[in-house]
Every structure is written in C-alpha cells, then in structure tokens.
C-alpha cells in the first residue's frame, strides 16, 4: 500500500507512521527526518533547509520534490510506503501523483489527523528527543524515567529548535495556509480519510488500522 499522513505539526504523523510501517512492513518516509539528518551532517541540502525549518517555514517545493523523487526510486519502496510530511502543498501533491503515474502506481489512502490547537501546542512544547538514539519522549504523555536523560540509552534529551513557542505558532499558520487545502484536493479524488487524532496513541492507531487490511484489526 501507498499511504500519506496529513496533519498539523504535532498531530502524531511521525508516531502513527512508525507504527503503520512496523505492523505492515512498509517503508516510513519522513521528509522532516531526512532534512534534520542533512542539517546535522551539514550537507548542502541541510544548510539550505536549516533556516526554513528553524523559522517554521516550508522548504521550497523544488527541493522537496527532488528529494522525494530520489527516495521513491529506491527498490525498498516497492513493498509499500507511508509518507509522513510530504506532500505539504497542492503543487507537491500534483508532482507526487505524476511521479507515481510514471511508475504505474497510485496512492491507496490519505489519512488526515485532526487535533485541537491547544493539544498541539501542549504536545510540541513537551516533546524531547534523545541526541544519541533519536527516541521521542513527551514530558506529559510519555516522560523519561530520569529528567533530561533517555531511558533507553542514557543519551541527553533536547528540544527541537522549531518546538519553541513562537515557531509553533508560525508552523500552525503555515499548515493552515499551505497544507490544509490538501484535504479538499484528496477528498476530491476519493482518497481522504479523516481520523480523530485527539485520543491516546493506541486509540488513534486502532482507528487508522481499521482502514488498513494489512493489520488484522
Ligand atoms: P516535520 O518534522 O515533518 O514536522 P511537522 O509536520 O511539524 O511534524 P512534527 O514532527 O512536529 O509532528 P508529528 O505530526 O509528526 O507528530 P509526532 O508524532 O512527532 O517537518 C519539520 C520541518 O521540515 C517543516 O516545518 C518544514 O520546514 C520542513 N519540511 C518537512 N517536509 C516538508 C515538505 N514536504 N515541504 C516543505 N518543507 C518540509 O508527535 C509530536 C509529539 O506528540 C511527540 O512528543 C509525541 O510523543 C506526542 N504524541 C503523538 N501522538 C500523541 C497522542 N496521540 N497523544 C499524546 N501525545 C502524542
């Protein structure tokens, strides 16, 4: 299957994409993770993307489309994939459609995670990540055993630069202006499935799984 996860920042795209990928054996493709990795490695792409990401702005379509084109050409995408963070504009969605068409493929389903704004701010401002193994913690819903240390590997926990209050507000505005119109785009082609993302991780996953025949739910 070829799945897209849409949703505002902090709606749980990464968390749910990881779970779907694990249960269905699909590849999890996160454009945010790819860009952060490039920024950490100080590649040319990383240097270009860093400023946009830290300001909560979108990286230009041209750059993102070429990253995805490259990623989807890999053999390991053949068994199915979950796209987390792409597409983010109608232009990116059209380009994705064309890319898949060239391979005689198409998307199977697009989930849109719907989460209340106050909850988004709460989730993002409480997110912490391990510098060593990248494990995700949430000080409210999934806290580490020891403050500021990863329970798994003992690595130091940090806050993403774009999870600071001012940037969260901008990311939410950018989502409304640039990405939310994708819901109408995908509803128009019969692919959209809205999911209530306000519940706990397991509840949201059960709801998603009920639409996927690779999970016996
Ligand atoms: P990206 O990394 O994709 O950021 P985002 O879309 O803002 O998403 P997040 O990672 O913040 O949240 P999420 O929805 O994945 O939620 P998560 O599961 O992590 O992109 C970063 C930047 O890269 C962009 O701003 C842009 O600059 C650039 N970029 C990336 N793709 C691009 C593109 N296609 N075009 C242009 N630019 C692009 O969960 C968040 C927190 O909540 C975690 O702590 C988690 O544990 C917790 N949580 C999750 N689910 C639940 C739940 N059900 N209950 C309680 N807590 C929960």
């Amino acid at each position: 299957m070829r799945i897209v996860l849409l949703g505002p920042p902090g709606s749980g795209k990464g968390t749910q994409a990881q779970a779907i990928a694990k249960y269905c054996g699909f590849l999890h493709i996160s454009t945010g993770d790819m860009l952060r990795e490039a920024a950490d490695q100080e590649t040319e792409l990383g240097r270009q993307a860093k400023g946009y990401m830290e300001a909560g702005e979108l990286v230009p379509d041209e750059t993102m489309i070429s990253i995805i084109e490259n990623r989807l050409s890999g053999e390991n995408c053949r068994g199915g994939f979950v796209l987390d963070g792409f597409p983010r504009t109608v232009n990116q969605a059209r380009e994705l459609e064309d890319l898949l068409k060239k391979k005689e493929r198409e998307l199977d389903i697009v989930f849109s995670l719907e989460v209340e704004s106050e909850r988004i701010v709460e989730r993002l401002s409480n997110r912490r990540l391990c510098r060593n193994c990248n494990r995700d913690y949430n000080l409210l819903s999934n806290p580490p055993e020891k403050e500021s240390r990863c329970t798994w590997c003992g690595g130091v926990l940090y806050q993403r630069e774009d999870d600071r209050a001012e940037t969260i507000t901008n990311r939410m505005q950018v989502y409304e202006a640039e990405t939310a119109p994708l819901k109408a785009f995908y509803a128009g082609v019969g692919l959209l499935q809205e999911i209530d993302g306000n519940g706990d991780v397991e509840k949201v996953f059960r709801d998603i799984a009920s639409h996927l025949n690779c999970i016996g739910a």
Side-chain angles (χ1 to χ4, degrees):
M1 284 185 93
R2 287 166 287 276
I3 301 168
V4 164
L5 280 186
L6 292 180
S11 56
K13 300 182 296 297
T15 305
Q16 298 299 331
Q18 222 171 13
I20 299 169
K22 180 176 160 199
Y23 280 94
C24 300
F26 300 153
L27 192 67
H28 172 196
I29 303 176
S30 158
T31 43
D33 285 349
M34 288 163 82
L35 293 171
R36 277 184 291 277
E37 208 175 291
D40 286 348
Q41 292 170 356
E42 298 184 356
T43 64
E44 185 49 38
L45 165 67
R47 273 192 288 275
Q48 280 174 26
K50 203 166 187 263
Y52 292 104
M53 293 172 81
E54 288 184 355
E57 296 292 332
L58 295 185
V59 173
D61 280 354
E62 207 184 325
T63 308
M64 296 313 302
I65 290 158
S66 110
I67 292 177
I68 279 295
E69 185 167 18
N70 193 27
R71 196 76 174 87
L72 295 185
S73 64
E75 275 298 308
N76 53 0
C77 291
R78 284 180 167 267
F81 57 76
V82 192
L83 278 175
D84 152 20
F86 188 96
R88 252 175 154 105
T89 62
V90 172
N91 184 32
Q92 291 182 11
R94 293 211 173 97
E95 293 284 346
L96 175 64
E97 207 176 12
D98 288 350
L99 273 175
L100 292 174
K101 226 177 244 165
K102 280 187 208 152
K103 297 174 190 293
E104 296 178 1
R105 300 226 160 86
E106 53 190 21
L107 292 174
D108 294 292
I109 192 161
V110 174
F111 292 109
S112 174
L113 299 177
E114 306 297 324
V115 179
E116 291 156 9
S117 309
E118 307 79 65
R119 214 175 283 254
I120 287 175
V121 175
E122 194 180 80
R123 284 185 190 173
L124 292 180
S125 48
N126 284 290
R127 168 167 49 194
R128 299 292 182 272
L129 297 161
C130 174
R131 238 197 236 280
N132 182 44
C133 69
N134 211 29
R135 196 163 283 253
D136 167 287
Y137 292 91
N138 196 282
L139 300 182
L140 294 180
S141 58
N142 176 29
E145 279 171 13
K146 277 194 204 148
E147 207 191 326
S148 63
R149 286 282 169 186
C150 176
T151 308
W152 184 253
C153 74
V156 174
L157 302 185
Y158 73 99
Q159 185 172 31
R160 252 169 66 170
E161 202 55 51
D162 60 349
D163 279 348
R164 308 203 182 262
E166 331 71 73
T167 319
I168 293 175
T169 309
N170 192 39
R171 285 162 69 197
M172 288 167 71
Q173 285 166 353
V174 169
Y175 171 80
E176 284 305 326
E178 304 283 347
T179 310
L182 280 177
K183 288 196 269 176
F185 177 87
Y186 283 123
V189 291
L191 288 176
L192 188 76
Q193 185 62 55
E194 290 191 318
I195 299 285
D196 178 0
N198 290 293
D200 63 33
V201 171
E202 290 73 24
K203 181 180 177 299
V204 177
F205 182 63
R206 277 199 300 278
D207 198 358
I208 290 177
S210 68
H211 300 278
L212 299 176
N213 52 19
C214 54
I215 302 169

